[in-house]
Amino acid sequence: MTSRKYTAPLYALTIFCSAFLLFQVQPLISKCLLPWVGGTPNVWTTCLLFFQAVLFGGYVYAHVLSRRFRPGYQALIHIGLLCVAAIWLNILPADEWKPTGDEPPVTRILLVLGATIGLPYFLLSTTGPLLQSWFARALPGRSPYRLYALSNVGSLLALLSYPFVFEPLIGMADQAAWWSRGFLLFAGLCGVCAYQVTRLASAEDDVAAPATPMDAAGAESSDAPVTAQGGRVWQWFGLAMTASVLLLATTNQVCLDVAVVPFLWVVPLGLYLLSFILCFDSDRWYHRAGFGLAGAVSMVLTTAWLMQDAGVSLVLQVLIAFGALFLACMVCHGELVRIKPGPERLTLFYLVVSAGGAAGGLFVGVIAPLLFPLYLEMHLSIAVCCVLTLGVYLHSQRLRDGATSPLLKWGAVATIAVVLVTLQSQATKLLAKSIDIRRNFYGVLRVELQEPGDPLDATYNLRYGRILHGVQFAAEERRDWPTAYFGPGSGVGRTIHALQAERPALRIGIVGLGIGTLAAYGRETDAIRFYEINPDVVTIARESFTFLSDTPSTVEIVPGDARLAMEREAPQQYDILILDAFSGDAIPTHLLTEESMKVYEKHIAPGGVLAVHISNLHFDLRPVAAALADSAGYDFSMLAFRGDSGSGQVSSLWMIATKEAPLLQTPSLREITRDKPAERTLWTDDFSNLFARLK
């Protein structure tokens, strides 16, 4: 039998290991699934919904197991499940799970997660409350809440180490192998804990856990029913749900405008966990008045940020959005700790908190897209958090001074009113100027009519979030002009014209439909084949724009992820294959890997061209595109065009790669050719790091 003096370290190590594995696998498996569904921000949201739901299930399991079964049966059941998970452990999904293009992406993601990581993640999620319950039995009188703070330290370390250590240094296959070894270690440690609790528990412990005096953090241990204590179960639930909604809404908004990268997943989740760590470690970290006031100010700044365009610097976006998230979470979790129960209700408390977190994930991932045409859950969470933080601040002042200053009270009311009116005004303005709005798993698409002074300059614009994805002139005489990143002055426009000058017919493949602008280059003898994963993009291109209907070329649209579609189909013999599939402001990484280049080579005709759109506000993709061309033995040029507002063209950067070097010496291409990057960054399906390409 393990000595009692090793009990606390054993439990601490087991819980730390469990928490580390629990949060290390989240970005790993989510990144693995990104290429299958187009690299959209909602991949992470859906994965978090799964993780939160399974976490809630784990807490239900821990609560029922600790309340309804004797310690010996608890240990036997838990060890049995650990053995099953260890035997069938294989967390990376097989190719058979890849979507075919016609199934709902949310359903596919949830099924894959359930089949691969489901049982191991479920067992890891039970560890916190279950082992803390066992700890309270093994060491009566010792507060288990410090173990909760320790578990969050492990979670935070896992998250922060992923983008800075594991992602840049280790491929996904090796990451999965090391994670599996860690799970086996955890299973062994958990088995020792299970064995020990059956030996250390006294006869009376077999019936019910002992009532533990008030812990060091001041948790109450009243025997009164929890529901009679001011409805605190609902307070636990509401505070946990508020923090969860803000976490997911903030992450969605930033990824929408920047890119879908693990770094922008783990930083907000890490801050969310840090607030848990600080608040559950000791009440000295949470000062009601300070965090209440700072949280309110941060909500005002976040409101101002949402009013800006997508050109705001990444650093400023991260500081404002993630800073506000942390301050609001400190208020939510600080207040949560102030009303936490004693250890005798520990598993119920964690069960309700996890239910609140899962409800937040369900709201953002499933309910909000059905309720709101835009990403208004961010607006809603800001409004709720502004009310909450100012309410906490005023309550703190009232407790200190015996009354609230009228100036403070009316100042708080005015601040809340300004935030609410501003958010409402912005949402109303976006809705009013939008001709068509469509929201689905892949994001929010808006069609706007821009009407400057001259009617000839009026345009219909397509936006994905705040990013411009297409422009068409409204005037009849201009509506067939190629515009935006695809105008005649752009790298791709000049390349198409150069090819058309020497070839009577072109077969053109285009990854990413947008509004179909590139169809404007088509001749009667040309055939154009678009690949598009988002069905709403296809609908908008056909109903709100006319490039597809006006072109004399033969046009075909292939639904689903372009790479998966090209892997399945016969060689298409494209004279030019154009990559323009953007999610937010960054091209999905799976379209820029060495393996993807082999797929493209299969479809590019001899003497054909690969054109890659790499314009970006935040990332320098030139070394990645250059390495892609080098890996296939292609010569290439970087073509930068500054734009021309009079003709609706914006600045763009394209890489044009081909084995026909004379094409790159065409005068029109040479005119905008820029120096090749000295650096090369070759991505593979197993290893890519978009964060390293930050400008």
Side-chain angles (χ1 to χ4, degrees):
M1 182 177 69
T2 306
S3 172
R4 282 180 181 266
K5 71 178 182 179
Y6 297 118
T7 297
L10 172 64
Y11 277 81
L13 179 60
T14 306
I15 286 178
F16 180 88
C17 182
S18 168
F20 187 90
L21 294 171
L22 197 69
F23 282 83
Q24 178 75 194
V25 78
Q26 291 185 14
L28 168 60
I29 195 69
S30 301
K31 182 179 179 181
C32 180
L33 293 177
L34 267 179
W36 292 10
V37 282
T40 171
N42 278 334
V43 172
W44 177 242
T45 303
T46 305
C47 288
L48 274 188
L49 171 61
F50 173 85
F51 297 141
Q52 289 174 321
V54 174
L55 185 70
F56 173 66
Y59 281 17
V60 170
Y61 166 88
H63 180 69
V64 172
L65 200 65
S66 62
R67 294 298 178 185
R68 302 297 182 186
F69 293 88
R70 296 169 180 260
Y73 290 118
Q74 293 178 32
L76 185 62
I77 293 171
H78 203 61
I79 289 175
L81 289 175
L82 285 170
C83 290
V84 172
I87 292 172
W88 277 281
L89 189 61
N90 185 17
I91 67 170
L92 290 183
D95 289 344
E96 290 75 17
W97 283 103
K98 287 184 177 180
T100 59
D102 54 356
E103 61 275 87
V106 172
T107 303
R108 171 63 61 169
I109 291 173
L110 295 178
L111 285 174
V112 172
L113 290 172
T116 54
I117 199 63
L119 182 57
Y121 195 90
F122 171 79
L123 293 172
L124 289 168
S125 69
T126 68
T127 305
L130 184 61
L131 263 68
Q132 287 180 60
S133 173
W134 290 354
F135 181 89
R137 289 179 178 275
L139 297 175
R142 295 277 296 273
S143 171
Y145 280 111
R146 283 291 181 88
L147 292 177
Y148 188 57
L150 177 65
S151 73
N152 283 312
V153 171
S155 303
L156 182 61
L157 181 61
L159 286 173
L160 295 181
S161 65
Y162 188 82
F164 298 111
V165 179
F166 290 94
E167 186 186 24
L169 298 179
I170 306 174
M172 282 195 292
D174 288 337
Q175 290 177 37
W178 280 107
W179 190 92
S180 298
R181 297 184 188 106
F183 182 83
L184 295 177
L185 172 63
F186 154 76
L189 292 171
C190 197
V192 175
C193 293
Y195 170 75
Q196 189 195 55
V197 77
T198 63
R199 302 293 303 271
L200 293 178
S202 59
E204 58 270 23
D205 289 336
D206 290 343
V207 178
T212 308
M214 182 181 296
D215 67 21
E220 52 182 281
S221 57
S222 168
D223 292 329
V226 176
T227 52
Q229 299 173 13
R232 290 205 166 158
V233 166
W234 289 108
Q235 293 178 37
W236 300 342
F237 181 88
L239 289 168
M241 181 176 177
T242 299
S244 176
V245 169
L246 186 61
L247 165 67
L248 292 171
T250 301
T251 305
N252 259 359
Q253 187 66 53
V254 175
C255 286
L256 180 70
D257 291 337
V258 181
V260 187
V261 290
F263 171 75
L264 294 177
W265 298 340
V266 303
V267 170
L269 186 54
L271 292 172
Y272 173 86
L273 289 175
L274 180 60
S275 68
F276 262 117
I277 294 170
L278 296 177
C279 293
F280 277 84
D281 177 69
S282 170
D283 58 6
R284 71 178 182 271
W285 299 112
Y286 174 61
H287 185 267
R288 259 183 172 170
F291 277 102
L293 183 59
V297 172
S298 71
M299 291 301 139
V300 174
L301 291 176
T302 305
T303 302
W305 161 60
L306 285 178
M307 301 297 290
Q308 307 302 310
D309 59 30
V312 177
S313 75
L314 176 60
V315 173
L316 188 59
Q317 289 191 55
V318 167
L319 287 177
I320 292 175
F322 295 168
L325 170 67
F326 174 70
L327 293 171
C329 285
M330 281 295 295
V331 172
C332 290
H333 297 149
E335 294 302 309
L336 191 62
V337 168
R338 284 180 177 271
I339 58 173
K340 72 180 186 292
E344 71 278 3
R345 297 191 185 95
L346 179 144
T347 55
L348 175 63
F349 174 69
Y350 289 139
L351 178 63
V352 174
V353 170
S354 67
L362 182 66
F363 176 79
V364 175
V366 178
I367 298 175
L370 300 177
L371 291 179
F372 306 136
L374 304 172
Y375 272 128
L376 297 181
E377 52 267 38
M378 183 70 180
H379 296 63
L380 178 62
S381 63
I382 290 173
V384 171
C385 287
C386 191
V387 173
L388 174 64
T389 53
L390 279 173
V392 166
Y393 173 69
L394 293 178
H395 182 63
S396 176
Q397 296 300 309
R398 185 166 62 250
L399 290 177
R400 189 188 69 181
D401 302 331
T404 303
S405 164
L407 182 62
L408 283 177
K409 182 185 297 184
W410 289 110
V413 171
T415 301
I416 293 171
V418 168
V419 169
L420 292 177
V421 169
T422 302
L423 293 173
Q424 174 66 26
S425 173
Q426 189 216 24
T428 302
K429 182 179 178 181
L430 288 175
L431 290 171
K433 68 189 294 190
S434 300
I435 298 172
D436 191 6
I437 300 176
R438 295 178 184 269
R439 180 175 182 177
N440 61 13
F441 173 81
Y442 300 100
V444 176
L445 297 165
R446 291 188 300 110
V447 180
E448 308 174 332
L449 174 60
Q450 296 285 348
E451 295 182 288
D454 188 345
L456 287 176
D457 293 331
T459 59
Y460 292 102
N461 300 338
L462 175 65
R463 292 188 180 275
Y464 177 94
R466 290 185 286 183
I467 304 297
L468 182 68
H469 273 238
V471 176
Q472 184 175 31
F473 282 104
E476 186 76 21
E477 59 267 39
R478 292 187 178 183
R479 75 178 195 181
D480 289 335
W481 289 11
T483 55
Y485 315 99
F486 320 103
S490 68
V492 69
R494 295 173 188 238
T495 302
I496 292 175
H497 280 150
L499 290 173
Q500 288 178 332
E502 63 182 40
R503 305 183 189 186
L506 291 182
R507 183 162 176 78
I508 304 172
I510 304 172
V511 177
L513 172 62
I515 63 174
T517 308
L518 287 166
Y521 290 103
R523 304 169 298 185
E524 287 187 15
T525 54
D526 296 332
I528 304 175
R529 199 162 191 256
F530 290 97
Y531 297 87
E532 179 54 56
I533 194 172
N534 189 343
D536 282 348
V537 170
V538 178
T539 301
I540 285 177
R542 284 174 168 162
E543 295 181 358
S544 299
F545 299 90
T546 65
F547 286 119
L548 295 180
S549 59
D550 289 346
T551 183
S553 300
T554 301
V555 174
E556 180 183 3
I557 299 176
V558 179
D561 181 79
R563 180 172 162 185
L564 294 181
M566 284 192 281
E567 286 176 352
R568 291 190 294 263
E569 64 190 12
Q572 296 298 310
Q573 297 295 300
Y574 293 125
D575 295 286
I576 180 170
L577 177 61
I578 302 169
L579 303 186
D580 180 55
F582 277 69
S583 176
D585 195 40
I587 194 168
T589 57
H590 71 292
L591 297 178
L592 289 176
T593 65
E594 184 179 19
E595 292 84 356
S596 70
M597 186 64 192
K598 293 177 181 177
V599 176
Y600 305 149
E601 284 187 275
K602 164 186 165 184
H603 294 284
I604 297 175
V609 175
L610 175 68
V612 185
H613 188 194
I614 53 176
S615 307
N616 201 272
L617 291 173
H618 306 291
F619 297 93
D620 180 10
L621 297 174
R622 294 175 305 149
V624 178
L628 199 67
D630 288 346
S631 69
Y634 279 54
D635 195 6
F636 68 92
S637 291
M638 294 290 174
L639 306 182
F641 178 62
R642 298 193 176 208
D644 177 13
S645 58
S647 60
Q649 301 181 76
V650 300
S651 298
S652 62
L653 178 63
W654 288 83
M655 183 197 76
I656 306 299
T658 180
K659 292 186 177 180
E660 293 291 325
L663 174 70
L664 303 179
Q665 302 305 316
T666 304
S668 63
L669 272 63
R670 292 288 301 166
E671 184 181 359
I672 60 170
T673 298
R674 299 295 179 262
D675 292 338
K676 295 180 179 181
E679 184 184 356
R680 297 290 188 274
T681 303
L682 183 61
W683 287 346
T684 65
D685 288 348
D686 187 58
F687 184 86
S688 62
N689 184 11
L690 186 58
F691 176 66
R693 299 304 334 144
L694 273 172
K695 290 182 180 177

